[in-house]
Amino acid sequence: MNITDSGIDIANYIDHALLDPTATPEQVAQCCTEAERFNFAAVCLYPTAVRQAGELLHGKKIQICTVIGFPTGATTSAIKLYEAQEAVENGATELDVVINLGWLKVGKSEEIYREIAAICEETGQTVKAILETNLLTDTEKRLAAEICMDAGVAYLKTNTGWFGGATVADVRFLRNITKGQVGIKASGGIRTLEQALELISAGATRLGTSRGVELIRQQEGN
């Protein structure tokens, strides 16, 4: 059987992303409308769009996800925590947090742990740690994954999409580490249905993509 005939309802996996820095309120509204129409798992927006999304999707089961420390992860821990707390106050139910990659490169494991744990504990919401796997060695990927799991994240997210996209190899690598303890969000460069289904087959439980509508139309065309 071809992977595109798998019977998977891909909409259930999609975090419908609008992370274009020039996005307008009209585009945010369209993103939310599409998420509701196709029953996506979540919308993923910049913090400034969270309140609008919360108003548009009030009472719906679609999660409102935003990005924290995006896209570099290089803001201070205090700023990340404040950004996360403000986002939750504005209606965010999921937080995609970029870890401090510079700290990871020099082995500052405790600092990374404290930063992510504080966000998990203080917000009480679903946290997805963005590892930016394309910039890491396998040893660094494993260390980052273990730190973030210990800190209480609900998902490990492969990439921001700014420095390269998700790969099947990285998703499999993370699945072998997580062993189902947390979810895996594959993100970055997901453009085709076949690619999306391969990532799901490899272990992805969410897909971050701005092309969710295109993927649905590809699936409906099969």
Side-chain angles (χ1 to χ4, degrees):
M1 180 180 67
N2 188 288
I3 193 166
T4 55
D5 299 324
S6 63
I8 292 171
D9 183 358
I10 200 168
N12 295 330
Y13 290 82
I14 291 175
D15 284 10
H16 192 36
L18 178 61
L19 296 172
D20 181 341
T22 67
T24 64
E26 289 75 18
Q27 289 171 307
V28 171
Q30 180 181 350
C31 179
C32 292
T33 297
E34 290 169 346
E36 185 176 358
R37 176 184 175 188
F38 294 105
N39 199 30
F40 292 144
V43 291
C44 186
L45 307 161
Y46 279 116
T48 51
V50 165
R51 189 180 294 277
Q52 180 187 357
E55 293 170 354
L56 293 169
L57 295 173
H58 180 71
K60 311 297 182 182
K61 70 175 186 176
I62 299 161
Q63 300 301 309
I64 299 172
C65 174
T66 194
V67 289
I68 304 298
F70 190 88
T72 67
T75 46
T76 67
S77 296
I79 293 297
K80 283 184 184 175
L81 179 58
Y82 180 85
E83 188 177 23
Q85 290 172 320
E86 183 182 47
V88 171
E89 289 172 4
N90 287 339
T93 56
E94 298 187 350
L95 305 166
D96 286 15
V97 183
V98 188
I99 68 168
N100 190 309
L101 298 166
W103 285 351
L104 184 67
K105 291 289 184 180
V106 296
K108 290 188 174 182
S109 300
E110 186 59 34
E111 287 86 343
I112 298 170
Y113 173 86
R114 284 198 300 264
E115 179 175 278
I116 300 300
I119 294 171
C120 292
E121 292 166 8
E122 295 296 328
T123 65
Q125 299 297 324
T126 296
V127 173
K128 308 187 197 92
I130 306 178
L131 308 185
E132 207 66 87
T133 51
N134 287 338
L135 302 182
L136 306 179
T137 66
D138 283 354
T139 298
E140 290 166 344
K141 292 172 198 174
R142 181 176 295 277
L143 177 61
E146 291 173 347
I147 293 169
C148 292
M149 290 170 65
D150 288 345
V153 304
Y155 290 82
L156 299 175
K157 179 176 172 179
T158 60
N159 307 88
T160 61
W162 286 56
F163 307 101
T167 68
V168 167
D170 275 342
V171 171
R172 285 180 180 150
F173 186 85
L174 293 176
R175 182 179 64 181
N176 289 336
I177 296 169
T178 61
K179 302 188 187 311
Q181 296 176 60
V182 300
I184 298 171
K185 178 175 174 179
S187 185
I190 302 172
R191 296 181 175 87
T192 69
L193 176 63
E194 183 173 11
Q195 182 185 15
L197 293 174
E198 286 174 347
L199 290 165
I200 293 170
S201 179
T205 54
R206 286 280 189 94
L207 302 174
T209 178
S210 61
R211 298 173 185 262
V213 175
E214 294 175 36
L215 296 180
I216 294 296
R217 287 173 177 161
Q218 288 176 38
Q219 189 167 48
E220 289 175 346
N222 286 316

